Amino acid sequence: MREFGFELRLSAHLEAAGVPGVGDAGVVSRQLGTSVHAAGGRIVDTVCVLPGPQFDARTELTSDTIPPAILDGDVRVGEWTRVTRAFDGPPERARSLAERGAETGFLDLTRRNGQQVVRQTARYPDWVGGLVGVENKPDLGRPGDLRLQMRHDASLGVLDYAVLATASHVTRAHLNRLPEAVGVWRVDFDNAEPIEVVRDPQRLDSAGPGLEVLDEHPGRTDVRPVTAGEKARQRRRVAERAYGKGWRTFDLPACAEASTGDDDATLPFCAFKDRLVDAAAECGPDCPGYDEADPPASDLDAEREAATAWRADAGGRRRQSGLDRFG
């Protein structure tokens, strides 16, 4: 199975069944950056956010990602603050952040004495119980940068658990190449229980400082220290991005060969290729099986609402897009 289809099917399973040996997956998302210093340096295939003590309060707050720059600002509940004092940077950026926060429903924005002022509508809840990162490598014969990726996750500790998921047979040699803390799953979607736990993940030190692996050279590994505070901010950023994004971020092919598949969750299936497809990369006039048509009918937000505690209209605001670009 190709990695894209593997990733979608695993995301759907984790959302429905939870993380083996760890707990319920309150939020499942895909393709999230966890690096602190190297922007875009480490993209984790699948991230599960375990529910924390105030998870329900987060589901009531807003359906969208709250941009990290807003959470880093000096804005309080019930206390109006001038927008230009609440957020660092030029006045234009501060006003734009305040407007985005109001669009999510997390901030109230108004004018007083000729100045824009802002306040939080509610306290930001303690809603994250942990982060589980899954690297999807269906074929271990083509591992790519797997060793470096797993070293990054285990050494940095932004995640609470790091897991490798594969469809390949896992040998002792494979296990010995990975950090001991990394869990390993063998996945076969034809089985009633698709995930076989080959090795349980060990909990990482997500509360303390860490080392971010930047690059490897013969005889040398480049690393950079990360403080506990930097990790805490990055963990919140990852969790917020996961909450607003979810895992249903794919397009359905605009083709007569397309369907939503036979699984409980809507997935982009192509009858011509007889597999799940990445419509953005694989579908269109260049495909020999292409037959232009409307995409299959779907409502991915409604499906997410039915399957999880997430609510599309949380906070009484219409769902927005692109609200995390100020991170």
Side-chain angles (χ1 to χ4, degrees):
M1 178 180 289
R2 298 194 178 198
E3 187 169 319
F4 180 76
F6 184 93
E7 185 173 296
L8 291 187
R9 295 192 69 180
L10 184 60
S11 295
H13 177 75
L14 293 172
E15 181 179 79
V19 182
V22 177
D24 292 338
V27 176
V28 179
S29 190
R30 301 188 299 114
Q31 299 296 308
L32 298 180
T34 58
S35 294
V36 174
H37 295 305
R42 172 69 174 116
I43 306 298
V44 177
D45 290 333
T46 304
V47 174
C48 300
V49 184
L50 309 176
Q54 297 177 323
F55 183 77
D56 289 345
R58 180 62 186 86
T59 66
E60 296 171 0
L61 192 57
T62 174
S63 59
D64 292 297
T65 293
I66 301 172
I70 290 175
L71 295 174
D72 290 339
D74 185 17
V75 186
R76 298 168 187 159
V77 178
E79 181 178 334
W80 293 105
T81 303
R82 187 185 299 180
V83 165
T84 51
R85 291 178 180 171
F87 303 110
D88 293 335
E92 295 79 6
R93 177 180 185 272
R95 285 191 286 268
S96 186
L97 280 171
E99 290 167 3
R100 295 305 181 190
E103 287 174 3
T104 68
F106 182 61
L107 299 181
D108 280 332
L109 178 64
T110 190
R111 296 189 72 87
R112 292 194 168 190
N113 301 320
Q115 299 286 340
Q116 279 191 318
V117 291
V118 67
R119 67 181 179 186
Q120 287 184 196
T121 58
R123 296 189 186 281
Y124 187 73
D126 177 16
W127 68 279
V128 179
L131 300 177
V132 182
V134 183
E135 185 64 24
N136 299 313
K137 295 289 184 188
D139 183 3
L140 289 181
R142 303 170 62 188
D145 295 329
L146 177 61
R147 181 173 173 275
L148 181 62
Q149 291 166 332
M150 295 290 89
R151 284 191 66 190
H152 179 283
D153 294 347
S155 176
L156 178 57
V158 162
L159 304 168
D160 293 276
Y161 298 95
V163 176
L164 165 66
T166 182
S168 297
H169 175 67
V170 181
T171 68
R172 184 167 296 278
H174 289 132
L175 295 177
N176 289 340
R177 294 188 193 109
L178 301 173
E180 291 185 6
V182 173
V184 179
W185 298 338
R186 188 167 185 221
V187 182
D188 184 347
F189 294 108
D190 290 331
N191 291 340
E193 175 44 64
I195 297 177
E196 173 195 354
V197 178
V198 178
R199 186 167 78 185
D200 285 312
Q202 299 175 25
R203 191 163 194 123
L204 303 173
D205 180 14
S206 60
L211 287 174
E212 181 167 352
V213 177
L214 302 177
D215 202 358
E216 282 188 322
H217 309 275
R220 186 181 93 240
T221 300
D222 295 334
V223 298
R224 186 171 173 182
V226 176
T227 68
E230 288 172 327
K231 279 172 61 171
R233 287 191 293 273
Q234 183 64 10
R235 283 168 55 79
R236 186 178 65 186
R237 179 188 297 262
V238 171
E240 273 297 324
R241 182 73 172 112
Y243 193 89
K245 184 179 181 182
W247 65 268
R248 296 171 174 85
T249 56
F250 52 84
D251 295 323
L252 292 171
C255 176
E257 296 290 329
S259 73
T260 57
D262 297 327
D263 296 297
D264 292 337
T266 294
L267 298 173
F269 184 81
C270 171
F272 177 76
K273 292 184 169 72
D274 193 29
R275 59 175 173 81
L276 300 183
V277 292
D278 182 353
E282 299 184 69
C283 301
D286 291 340
C287 173
Y290 178 67
D291 182 5
E292 185 175 5
D294 290 334
S298 66
D299 188 338
L300 298 180
D301 277 356
E303 185 173 289
R304 185 182 181 189
E305 276 196 302
T308 71
W310 179 86
R311 292 169 45 210
D313 63 349
R317 305 300 205 275
R318 288 189 61 189
R319 180 160 162 74
Q320 304 288 329
S321 61
L323 294 174
D324 57 346
R325 64 179 183 269
F326 295 94

